[in-house]
Amino acid sequence: MTPSSSFSLSIALFCSFFFGLITLSATTCLDHQKVLLLTLKNNLTFDPSLSTKLVGWNQTLECCAWGGVTCDETGHVTRLDLSRESLSGPIPSSQNHWQGLEKLEYLSLGYNSLTGSLPKPLLTLLPSLQDLDLSYNRLSGQITKDSPLRFLRNLDLSNNRFEGPVPGFIYKLAALSTLKLSTNKLSGRVDLDKFSKLKELYALDLSYNKLSVSFSANFSLLSQVNSILLASCNMQELPNLKNQSRLLMLDLSDNKLRGEIPNWIWELGNGYLRFLNLSHNQFSGLQKPYTFPFLLDVLDLHSNNLEGDIPVPPRRVYHLDYSNNNFKTSIPVGFGNVLRSTLFFSISNSHIIGVIPESIRNASSLRVLDLSRNGLTGPIPLIGNMKDLQSLDLSVNMLSGSIPGELTNLAQLSSLNLSYNHLSGRIPQGLIKFTSLAFEGNDGLCGPPLKKSCH
Ligand SMILES: *[C@@H]1O[C@H](CO)[C@@H](O)[C@H](O)[C@H]1NC(C)=O
Ligand SMILES: *[C@@H]1O[C@H](CO)[C@@H](O)[C@H](O)[C@H]1NC(C)=O
Ligand SMILES: *[C@@H]1O[C@H](CO)[C@@H](O)[C@H](O)[C@H]1NC(C)=O
Ligand SMILES: *[C@@H]1O[C@H](CO)[C@@H](O)[C@H](O)[C@H]1NC(C)=O
Ligand SMILES: *[C@@H]1O[C@H](CO)[C@@H](O)[C@H](O)[C@H]1NC(C)=O
Ligand SMILES: *[C@@H]1O[C@H](CO)[C@@H](O)[C@H](O)[C@H]1NC(C)=O
Ligand SMILES: CC(=O)N[C@H]1CO[C@H](CO)[C@@H](O)[C@@H]1O
């Protein structure tokens, strides 16, 4: 490219940018779009004192400038965001409210208190719709069986009360990228194989319904899938996910999975897995050898039947839940040294024995530490340096010795439970703000808040 041609190119770019701006700011909404929106407003129930967008829709202002409304350069409404607008009652269901919004690409009515069913016009009369978000409402009834919305990319109906089967039209939405149906009352069988035809699928969430999810032996989703959330889906077996090389989030909690956690699971996403929830299953252990992915920051294995060595987590983990298992081993000596950036650690009720390793002191970012209901022995370690600790539960163990005065340094501590151990001596002055329930069941402890005085 010669200097002069690149110069004229920049002029051209500059002009188109400049005039683009002018047309954008000069956009006025078309009369019929304004009439449609005002009719919609008149038929929506909302609390004017809580509304920030709808409340300002009126004749005096130009409708493309109304809160929650975006138009294209021809004055057609393209985006309508009425989330968190204190809407209640049913979604207007007459054709007249929706027909004519033919350029609408994005519609959100999420985080309101809408009731009633999903009006058919939403799925049939908005030919350009790409994103539909009705999450966090109280919508009920069945989801319409079919829909011609060929361009739909993101559908979020989560956190409502929808019932009946997952509608068949979903598997025909060729552009579907994100599907969230979690926390509803959907029922029936879902064959995961049907999702493998969706070439654009990126995130799938069917959790917390009454669904029974199954799949064939050669099942595989497209490799770009990034998030698979199938909690409470009555799954008896692990699907083969070995090919999911982009997976960042996997939730298979509250299913009926058993046996060893296969070691391929740690290789999902090519080592980029960030979130794994396998809690509330019947897993008995981790298949060896295994290497946790370095980037894993949430690992939830609670309420399984894990036995044997306590797995040493990767160093970035900030939420680690091993509670309600059956380890019957002791916490490895250097365990605290890998929890340096961990905020939450629980291994409550997991048949842990031995002493609490001194290295726990190095887990100094912890906000919650729960080692309750185990067979731990020895002293309470020195953890006065955990300046963010809010909750410490060491109850129902066999810990002995006196309560370290250091505990009074924990300025953020709002919940403490040392009850039912073999602790002795005077309760440090700084801890008397906690009730006697935090200390009961230790025969050797004395002084306030306990009634027993020290001699
Ligand atoms: C119309 O809405 C604007 C912005 O919310 C407000 O300032 C104005 O007072 C309203 N006009 C009428 C007639 O309600
Ligand atoms: C799985 O295998 C069956 C037959 O064994 C075949 O009909 C089906 O198309 C396969 N599915 C996929 C996703 O490859
Ligand atoms: C995984 O991907 C490879 C390569 O793309 C393919 O050959 C193989 O059949 C896939 N495995 C499954 C179970 O789909
Ligand atoms: C893991 O799943 C369980 C059950 O579905 C849920 O209660 C828990 O909050 C999840 N854990 C995380 C860290 O999200
Ligand atoms: C805590 O961390 C420090 C600094 O990394 C290290 O020197 C020390 O040995 C650790 N403490 C324990 C008990 O492992
Ligand atoms: C401490 O744990 C014991 C045993 O689980 C329980 O009875 C008690 O209420 C708890 N105390 C507090 C203050 O939470
Ligand atoms: C169903 C319903 O409430 N329809 C009303 C919608 O708003 C228009 C006025 O804009 C009324 O005429 C309808 O009765």
Side-chain angles (χ1 to χ4, degrees):
M1 202 185 273
T2 67
S4 78
S5 74
S6 92
F7 178 69
S8 46
L9 182 69
S10 345
I11 293 269
L13 279 176
F14 175 76
C15 287
S16 59
F17 177 66
F18 190 64
F19 291 112
L21 272 187
I22 287 188
T23 39
L24 211 68
S25 60
T27 301
T28 48
C29 83
L30 298 168
D31 268 349
H32 63 85
Q33 300 278 286
K34 187 172 190 170
V35 171
L36 271 171
L37 293 185
L38 284 174
T39 316
L40 190 63
K41 177 184 175 181
N42 282 339
N43 288 272
L44 281 167
T45 311
F46 63 97
D47 180 343
S49 68
L50 297 174
S51 160
T52 57
K53 303 167 198 167
L54 272 176
V55 73
W57 291 16
N58 64 32
Q59 289 288 359
T60 50
L61 271 178
E62 203 280 298
C63 86
C64 295
W66 291 351
V69 179
T70 310
C71 300
D72 65 8
E73 58 286 357
T74 64
H76 285 93
V77 176
T78 54
R79 292 173 65 88
L80 200 47
D81 180 0
L82 296 178
S83 59
R84 300 173 202 273
E85 275 290 282
S86 78
L87 301 174
S88 58
I91 302 176
S93 61
S94 137
Q95 288 201 181
N96 310 334
H97 296 110
W98 305 104
Q99 201 153 34
L101 292 173
E102 72 261 21
K103 295 286 172 61
L104 193 67
E105 293 172 2
Y106 176 95
L107 174 61
S108 174
L109 303 173
Y111 294 90
N112 285 296
S113 304
L114 294 164
T115 52
S117 58
L118 174 62
K120 223 172 174 171
L122 279 194
L123 290 177
T124 54
L125 294 179
L126 299 170
S128 308
L129 200 64
Q130 296 182 7
D131 296 292
L132 178 60
D133 182 355
L134 302 177
S135 63
Y136 292 93
N137 279 290
R138 295 176 204 151
L139 300 168
S140 56
Q142 298 215 1
I143 304 171
T144 329
K145 269 211 281 303
D146 33 46
S147 155
L149 295 182
R150 280 179 299 132
F151 302 112
L152 204 61
R153 292 173 54 81
N154 300 307
L155 179 60
D156 188 350
L157 302 179
S158 65
N159 292 280
N160 278 289
R161 296 165 188 176
F162 288 117
E163 56 193 40
V166 172
F169 79 82
I170 288 197
Y171 309 112
K172 294 182 203 142
L173 297 171
L176 195 66
S177 167
T178 306
L179 177 65
K180 294 185 182 170
L181 299 178
S182 60
T183 318
N184 276 291
K185 296 174 178 169
L186 299 172
S187 57
R189 299 194 79 77
V190 171
D191 180 4
L192 271 194
D193 292 68
K194 288 189 179 166
F195 289 101
S196 52
K197 297 194 185 87
L198 299 174
K199 301 276 183 267
E200 307 291 329
L201 193 66
Y202 185 78
L204 176 64
D205 187 359
L206 303 178
S207 301
Y208 308 120
N209 281 286
K210 296 182 207 153
L211 296 168
S212 295
V213 165
S214 60
F215 43 86
S216 69
N218 53 0
F219 160 77
S220 159
L221 286 175
L222 283 135
S223 63
Q224 82 275 7
V225 177
N226 181 287
S227 162
I228 299 179
L229 309 179
L230 299 172
S232 277
C233 281
N234 280 303
M235 297 172 83
Q236 319 265 348
E237 271 182 276
L238 263 177
N240 178 359
L241 299 170
K242 283 182 200 166
N243 269 11
Q244 304 315 140
S245 56
R246 301 277 175 81
L247 206 61
L248 302 179
M249 290 184 78
L250 179 61
D251 187 349
L252 298 174
S253 65
D254 197 20
N255 278 291
K256 295 171 180 151
L257 307 173
R258 51 175 64 242
E260 288 192 319
I261 299 172
N263 52 13
W264 56 254
I265 219 158
W266 313 112
E267 277 147 41
L268 291 174
N270 271 333
Y272 283 89
L273 193 68
R274 303 281 303 265
F275 176 103
L276 181 68
N277 192 345
L278 297 178
S279 68
H280 292 276
N281 280 290
Q282 291 148 38
F283 285 116
S284 57
L286 280 70
Q287 183 190 9
K288 289 177 182 163
Y290 64 86
T291 315
F292 284 134
F294 177 68
L295 295 173
L296 195 64
D297 43 34
V298 175
L299 178 59
D300 192 344
L301 300 178
H302 86 267
S303 297
N304 275 285
N305 205 11
L306 300 177
E307 288 181 17
D309 293 344
I310 297 167
V312 177
R315 281 171 189 268
R316 279 177 47 123
V317 85
Y318 70 74
H319 183 103
L320 182 65
D321 197 344
Y322 286 161
S323 60
N324 300 320
N325 278 293
N326 194 19
F327 291 109
K328 300 194 189 111
T329 49
S330 45
I331 304 177
V333 172
F335 201 77
N337 293 325
V338 296
L339 300 186
R340 284 174 206 264
S341 40
T342 308
L343 306 183
F344 176 101
F345 174 51
S346 174
I347 193 163
S348 168
N349 193 34
S350 288
H351 296 92
I352 302 299
I353 52 175
V355 301
I356 304 173
E358 273 174 43
S359 66
I360 200 73
R361 177 182 179 76
N362 280 337
S364 54
S365 308
L366 282 176
R367 303 210 170 141
V368 176
L369 176 59
D370 187 352
L371 307 176
S372 65
R373 297 176 183 275
N374 283 296
L376 292 167
T377 52
I380 296 177
L382 299 175
I383 52 172
N385 61 322
M386 291 190 181
K387 57 186 189 322
D388 298 323
L389 197 66
Q390 294 163 4
S391 171
L392 175 64
D393 194 345
L394 303 176
S395 67
V396 199
N397 277 291
M398 297 182 286
L399 299 170
S400 54
S402 57
I403 300 176
E406 266 208 8
L407 287 189
T408 60
N409 299 346
L410 302 171
Q412 300 301 318
L413 198 66
S414 56
S415 166
L416 174 70
N417 200 341
L418 304 177
S419 64
Y420 300 99
N421 277 290
H422 302 320
L423 300 168
S424 56
R426 183 185 289 275
I427 295 171
Q429 265 292 320
L431 298 180
I432 61 176
K433 61 178 174 181
F434 296 101
T435 70
S436 60
L437 288 178
F439 306 100
E440 66 182 352
N442 288 284
D443 289 344
L445 280 183
C446 62
L450 293 176
K451 291 211 179 74
K452 185 176 166 191
S453 57
C454 303
H455 297 293

